[in-house]
């Protein structure tokens, strides 16, 4: 996960701003609606990276589910 992480972070933030839970399916839908072609399996990898990034940043798990 490299260049796609910022796009996924943005999608995650948009979903959370709507008061929704961040799931793999929600990320896939948001990324695709934002014009990004992405495989569901790739989003699973990116979601894992986002969770790790969040824990490294603030020491706690984000409000997400896989």
């Amino acid at each position: 996960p490299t260049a796609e992480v910022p796009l996924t972070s943005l999608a995650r933030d948009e979903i959370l701003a709507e008061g929704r839970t961040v799931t793999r399916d929600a990320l896939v839908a948001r990324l695709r609606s934002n014009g990004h072609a992405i495989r569901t399996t790739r989003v699973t990898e990116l979601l894992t990276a986002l969770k790790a990034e969040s824990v490294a940043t603030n020491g706690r798990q984000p409000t997400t589910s896989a």
Side-chain angles (χ1 to χ4, degrees):
T2 55
E4 296 165 323
V5 172
L7 295 173
T8 308
S9 295
L10 178 61
R12 176 201 56 205
D13 294 346
E14 291 173 355
I15 294 166
L16 290 173
E18 295 171 356
R20 298 174 46 213
T21 300
V22 178
T23 63
R24 185 193 65 210
D25 291 341
L27 279 174
V28 168
R30 180 56 53 112
L31 288 166
R32 289 178 180 162
S33 73
N34 288 347
H36 305 288
I38 193 159
R39 296 182 327 266
T40 303
T41 54
R42 181 68 178 141
V43 173
T44 299
E45 296 168 1
L46 291 166
L47 184 57
T48 300
L50 285 177
K51 287 179 181 181
E53 176 186 277
S54 180
V55 170
T57 301
N58 64 23
R60 60 190 180 107
Q61 290 289 336
T63 306
T64 62
S65 66

